[in-house]
């Protein structure tokens, strides 16, 4: 019975070339949608990935499925970043500094993935697996609580406030640093530093 279970598990594992193709397709989709907008064709995405159109459709039966996978990959990267920031706080870094830097990184990434997000909204694509979003939310909540415990973050700041900042950030503007300078005082109990 053990041998049969092992054989079935091996049969279900994706082949190495299928895994490589999926990664190439996702990378290409992100680049093509960013460069050409949400109307870029599946043929163009497949060509840029160096795979046949049939291969693309085997992995992603519809464009909505493809965009949802690209969005899910972005959310997973954000979750990993938030967890890494929280780990640094556990090692002694100030939570406010980590939260501010995290905000900056997510907004910077949103600047380049802006077209992908527009495509997701246009096509109604949402990542099907909420696990990464839940991980990100939990890590951001822990960062906020740590900053509140330090007395650096206003007691009324919530994860929803951070999400509000993400969704209203000026991703079509070049200066994320200036945006952070203006919004951080709304999060912190500290006075805004003045320029000398």
């Amino acid at each position: 019975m053990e041998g049969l279970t092992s054989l079935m598990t091996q049969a279900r594992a994706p082949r190495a070339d299928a895994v490589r193709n999926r990664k190439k397709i996702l990378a290409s989709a992100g680049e093509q949608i960013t460069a050409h907008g949400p109307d870029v064709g599946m043929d163009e995405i497949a060509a840029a990935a160096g795979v046949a159109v049939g291969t693309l459709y085997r992995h992603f039966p519809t464009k909505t499925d493809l965009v949802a996978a690209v969005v899910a990959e972005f959310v997973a990267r954000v979750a990993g970043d938030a967890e890494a920031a929280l780990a640094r706080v556990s090692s002694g870094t100030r939570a406010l500094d980590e939260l501010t830097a995290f905000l900056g990184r997510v907004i910077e990434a949103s600047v380049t993935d802006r077209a992908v997000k527009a495509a997701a909204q246009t096509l109604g694509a949402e990542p099907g697996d909420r696990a990464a979003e839940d991980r990100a939310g939990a890590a951001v909540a822990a960062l906020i609580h740590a900053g509140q415990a330090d007395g650096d973050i206003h007691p009324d700041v919530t994860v929803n406030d951070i999400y509000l900042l993400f969704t209203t950030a000026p991703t079509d503007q070049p200066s994320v640093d200036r945006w952070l300078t203006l919004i951080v005082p709304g999060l912190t109990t500290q006075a805004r530093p003045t320029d000398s």
Side-chain angles (χ1 to χ4, degrees):
M1 188 69 166
E2 258 182 59
L4 180 60
T5 303
S6 175
L7 185 60
M8 288 173 58
T9 302
Q10 289 174 357
R12 289 187 201 138
R15 295 185 340 240
D17 63 330
V19 171
R20 277 192 307 274
N21 284 341
R22 182 179 172 84
K23 286 181 181 178
K24 289 192 305 189
I25 291 166
L26 287 172
S28 173
E31 291 166 6
Q32 292 299 307
I33 294 170
T34 297
H36 304 291
D39 294 329
V40 67
M42 295 286 267
D43 292 345
E44 288 84 4
I45 293 169
V51 300
V53 175
T55 300
L56 186 149
Y57 280 109
R58 270 193 300 280
H59 288 278
F60 304 101
T62 69
K63 191 169 181 184
T64 300
D65 295 330
L66 176 58
V67 173
V70 171
V71 171
E73 204 172 63
F74 177 75
V75 172
R77 286 193 310 266
V78 169
D81 189 353
E83 290 168 339
L86 183 58
R88 288 188 295 274
V89 168
S90 296
S91 298
T93 306
R94 273 181 68 214
L96 177 61
D97 294 341
E98 286 296 336
L99 185 62
T100 302
F102 170 73
L103 278 169
R105 289 189 300 272
V106 171
I107 298 307
E108 283 288 347
S110 297
V111 169
T112 58
D113 284 348
R114 183 180 39 177
V116 172
K117 286 204 259 180
Q121 292 168 351
T122 301
L123 298 171
E126 289 186 17
D129 180 8
R130 296 281 178 204
E133 191 173 322
D134 292 343
R135 285 178 33 228
V140 170
L143 283 170
I144 291 168
H145 293 306
Q148 289 168 334
D150 292 342
D152 290 337
I153 295 178
H154 281 291
D156 65 346
V157 172
T158 67
V159 173
N160 286 338
D161 294 328
I162 302 304
Y163 288 163
L164 176 65
L165 292 174
F166 290 153
T167 59
T168 59
T171 56
D172 57 341
Q173 300 295 318
S175 181
V176 171
D177 290 339
R178 180 63 181 157
W179 178 79
L180 283 170
T181 299
L182 295 172
I183 63 98
V184 167
L187 300 174
T188 183
T189 57
Q190 301 168 2
R192 180 176 166 190
T194 56
D195 295 331
S196 302

